[in-house]
Amino acid sequence: LDVFICAPMEERVERVCERTGMGAEEAEKYIVKKERARRDYYNFFTLGNWGVASNYDLCLDSSLLGLDGCGNLVVCVRKEPERPCCPDRPPRPRCDRHRGRLYGTW
């Protein structure tokens, strides 16, 4: 399951400041540096574009759901991929377009 979790920069800066005690400017520089490293790693190993929604099975905004909410939703989707947390909705066909590109077919 390929998951991308995002949030507005202001939310991320606030979260980093709370966790590390950094100032806002230092936290933003830290986030930008980490994102650059993640982007470069992802783009190199997947031949894709980091952060482009079509490259992921699930995209979440942690500013709306919270970190625990995102985690709970990912677990729910992983346990029941055909009917994640919505028993009244019919299953959606799976997209195999990106499968197997990095890790082989699974």
Side-chain angles (χ1 to χ4, degrees):
L1 183 66
D2 295 321
V3 179
F4 186 78
I5 300 175
C6 63
M9 181 60 83
E10 299 81 27
E11 296 272 338
R12 293 166 26 212
V13 166
E14 185 178 316
R15 192 174 294 146
V16 169
C17 289
E18 287 174 8
R19 288 183 172 187
T20 65
M22 290 181 188
E25 189 174 313
E26 185 182 4
E28 187 168 350
K29 287 179 184 177
Y30 173 81
I31 292 167
V32 169
K33 181 179 176 182
K34 284 294 202 180
E35 277 190 350
R36 188 177 309 119
R38 286 184 183 121
R39 182 197 64 217
D40 293 347
Y41 180 90
Y42 180 90
N43 291 349
F44 180 81
F45 285 105
T46 66
L47 306 174
N49 292 316
W50 184 76
V52 175
S54 62
N55 291 338
Y56 301 92
D57 300 315
L58 181 63
C59 296
L60 304 171
D61 185 339
S62 65
S63 69
L64 300 174
L65 301 170
L67 294 177
D68 289 338
C70 288
N72 292 337
L73 190 55
V74 169
V75 168
C76 184
V77 169
R78 181 65 183 110
K79 284 182 178 178
E80 305 252 358
E82 297 303 321
R83 293 178 165 218
C85 307
C86 302
D88 298 334
R89 295 180 69 186
R92 199 179 95 192
R94 297 183 67 94
C95 172
D96 292 329
R97 184 175 57 177
H98 300 291
R99 301 265 184 242
R101 186 166 42 184
L102 176 60
Y103 302 107
T105 304
W106 69 94

